[in-house]
Amino acid sequence: MAATVVLSILFFGFFYYNQYIKITRFTDFNQQEPFHESSNSTNVLPLEECDIFTGEWVFDNTSSHPLYKEEDCEYLNNMVTCLKNGRPDSSYQKWRWQPRDCSLPKFEAKLFLEKLRGKRLMFVGDSLNFNQMLSMVCIVQSVIPPEKRSMSYATYITVFKMEDYNATIEFYWAPYLVESNVDPPNMRDGTVDPIVKLGSISKHGQNWENLDYLVFNTFIWWRYPVVKVLQRGSFDDRPTDYNKIDQSVAYENALNSWAKWVGENVDPNRTSVFFISSAPQHNKSNRGSAWNNTLGIQCSNETMPILNMSTIDVGTNWKLFETAEKVIQSVKVPVHFINITGLSEYRKDAHTSLYSAPGGKVLTKEQKTDPARYADCVHWCLPGLPDTWNELLYTLILHQT
């Protein structure tokens, strides 16, 4: 598992952000009700009465899913283009999330872009949030003329610009939210022990000010049961003065620093804040017969979701999940908690698995014969599961207005 996680961090951290800066050149508005009656519900419930995070996965063989085609989005790289990388099946793209008591609205790209007109939407966090940012870009880019859209990459920030809307969709790299030694590009390859500086958030936070939508996450880098915490000085000095703190204590401390920053720096009359809960991993070797495939190795060769919706255990750290919930409730301004954890646990089929590209290179035939080492069961194919996360975000943004 350790090797798998290191490889995952390697290609979704180091490769994405240790790149030279590059630029790629790349409306009408219809109101709609955010909820419609679902096929398995006799009542149409408003968002306040409908838990959109409780439901089931439905195979949707219509043209509505996926929301875009892999080959039609030029902004995807080979880290997530599973079909291009040789994945033989595509059914993972066809599953639609169906809440129990209502239905999610159809994602209307032009409607969403009108919500973004003159505004900035920023995803902040780790490579999974970058995964989601790319998903959002791919969902909306088809309705923007190529000459009116562009993507730029810098050290910490990736920006997708939509000229006609005077709007941006952005990503900011801060895997711990607080400052850490793995923030710089040359430290993101997963080969050094992470050290965090609890309480130090303003260095990142100054880049989050005056945004219209902020979407935070932090989870996968908190994988160690013990976290190294810098006691004094800065990371420029190659620090050795650190303490080891229990994972849950350090995580709560970091989130409290984030909550304090949000409470002191966010104007709720301008900025909407969202927090994405932890995404699960599907490392089969650690979960026994969690999904009744005792011959499976990691998440390799999985082509179906877990369909038994009543009993499931894929090793999610629910203690950290509950910590995030608790801290969010303490924030002085409204924060919308987007609970992707439970619904994503069923999607063992949706990972990049053996069809990823560590360090930017697609796995060789020989590497694919060793899924225990090379299968990435952390990140997700696109189109795929992160599109659903964006459907949930879209629903909440529509509901606000």
Side-chain angles (χ1 to χ4, degrees):
M1 176 181 178
T4 302
V5 174
V6 167
L7 282 169
S8 302
I9 298 301
L10 168 63
F11 70 76
F12 270 88
F14 182 73
F15 184 79
Y16 274 167
Y17 306 110
N18 192 24
Q19 298 291 300
Y20 54 86
I21 298 176
K22 55 185 178 181
I23 305 290
T24 306
R25 288 305 305 169
F26 308 151
T27 76
D28 54 346
F29 175 65
N30 297 312
Q31 292 285 350
Q32 73 172 59
E33 292 296 325
F35 283 93
H36 303 286
E37 184 173 349
S38 69
S39 59
N40 61 348
S41 173
T42 57
N43 297 311
V44 181
L45 298 179
L47 185 56
E48 292 85 353
E49 300 177 36
C50 178
D51 177 7
I52 59 176
F53 310 117
T54 298
E56 63 181 348
W57 287 100
V58 177
F59 189 75
D60 187 346
N61 204 25
T62 69
S63 59
S64 67
H65 282 75
L67 300 180
Y68 54 92
K69 293 182 179 179
E70 180 183 295
E71 63 270 21
D72 292 341
C73 186
E74 63 184 289
Y75 305 108
L76 295 178
N77 52 45
N78 60 0
M79 311 317 192
V80 295
T81 51
C82 297
L83 294 182
K84 180 181 177 182
N85 296 346
R87 180 163 177 164
D89 66 295
S90 61
S91 60
Y92 65 91
Q93 300 181 353
K94 302 295 290 183
W95 291 91
R96 172 175 54 82
W97 179 247
Q98 176 62 62
R100 182 179 58 196
D101 299 315
C102 56
S103 288
L104 298 178
K106 179 182 178 182
F107 199 118
E108 299 285 355
K110 288 187 176 181
L111 174 62
F112 186 65
L113 290 176
E114 285 296 340
K115 300 294 183 185
L116 289 187
R117 184 177 291 278
K119 297 179 180 179
R120 296 171 63 195
L121 164 64
M122 178 181 281
F123 293 88
V124 179
D126 56 36
S127 56
L128 293 179
N129 239 17
F130 185 64
N131 215 185
Q132 188 172 350
M133 180 266 192
L134 286 181
S135 161
M136 184 66 83
V137 167
C138 289
I139 292 172
V140 304
Q141 57 90 34
S142 64
V143 300
I144 307 171
E147 68 276 9
K148 298 292 186 178
R149 64 187 192 227
S150 64
M151 184 87 91
S152 62
Y153 301 83
T155 303
Y156 284 88
I157 301 178
T158 303
V159 180
F160 179 69
K161 295 182 179 179
M162 299 161 284
E163 186 177 321
D164 285 346
Y165 293 90
N166 187 30
T168 59
I169 298 172
E170 308 175 33
F171 170 77
Y172 184 91
W173 171 261
Y176 288 101
L177 297 183
V178 294
E179 189 180 356
S180 76
N181 67 329
V182 296
D183 295 335
N186 64 337
M187 301 295 282
R188 300 173 188 169
D189 60 2
T191 61
V192 298
D193 288 338
I195 305 174
V196 299
K197 190 174 182 180
L198 298 177
S200 178
I201 200 166
S202 59
K203 182 177 180 179
H204 290 319
Q206 63 184 341
N207 297 283
W208 311 336
E209 296 177 356
N210 302 315
L211 272 290
D212 300 281
Y213 299 100
L214 282 166
V215 185
F216 293 95
N217 90 322
T218 180
F219 180 69
I220 60 172
W221 282 77
W222 297 91
R223 65 192 183 276
Y224 301 108
V226 175
V227 178
K228 294 181 178 180
V229 176
L230 185 68
Q231 293 305 292
R232 58 183 61 86
S234 72
F235 291 117
D236 297 331
D237 303 325
R238 295 189 176 184
T240 58
D241 187 9
Y242 58 82
N243 284 343
K244 294 183 178 180
I245 297 178
D246 180 77
Q247 171 199 62
S248 59
V249 174
Y251 186 71
E252 183 171 6
N253 192 309
L255 285 186
N256 282 330
S257 296
W258 164 81
K260 185 174 185 292
W261 182 92
V262 171
E264 293 177 350
N265 294 276
V266 168
D267 177 2
N269 295 316
R270 171 180 178 172
T271 305
S272 298
V273 183
F274 304 86
F275 190 94
I276 307 291
S277 71
S278 54
Q281 303 177 36
H282 290 86
N283 295 300
K284 180 65 178 172
S285 58
N286 292 334
R287 303 316 311 156
S289 57
W291 50 84
N292 297 320
N293 182 4
T294 56
L295 298 179
I297 301 176
Q298 304 286 37
C299 59
S300 64
N301 298 319
E302 297 290 352
T303 60
M304 291 283 290
I306 299 170
L307 298 179
N308 183 349
M309 306 295 281
S310 59
T311 58
I312 180 175
D313 176 15
V314 299
T316 296
N317 189 331
W318 288 103
K319 185 175 182 179
L320 296 192
F321 177 96
E322 292 166 0
T323 295
E325 271 193 316
K326 181 181 71 173
V327 172
I328 286 169
Q329 292 171 1
S330 73
V331 183
K332 295 180 180 179
V333 301
V335 176
H336 304 276
F337 187 66
I338 301 182
N339 180 6
I340 67 166
T341 308
L343 63 91
S344 300
E345 284 191 321
Y346 299 103
R347 297 306 309 276
K348 61 182 173 63
D349 60 311
H351 289 287
T352 51
S353 185
L354 296 173
Y355 307 101
S356 57
K361 297 181 180 180
V362 177
L363 295 180
T364 65
K365 185 179 296 185
E366 181 179 1
Q367 288 172 326
K368 288 181 179 180
T369 65
D370 188 4
R373 181 178 181 185
Y374 290 103
D376 179 1
C377 304
V378 176
H379 299 93
W380 311 87
C381 300
L382 290 179
L385 179 61
D387 304 327
T388 297
W389 304 346
N390 278 325
E391 288 181 288
L392 297 169
L393 175 61
Y394 170 82
T395 297
L396 294 174
I397 289 176
L398 254 62
H399 175 70
Q400 289 183 318
T401 54

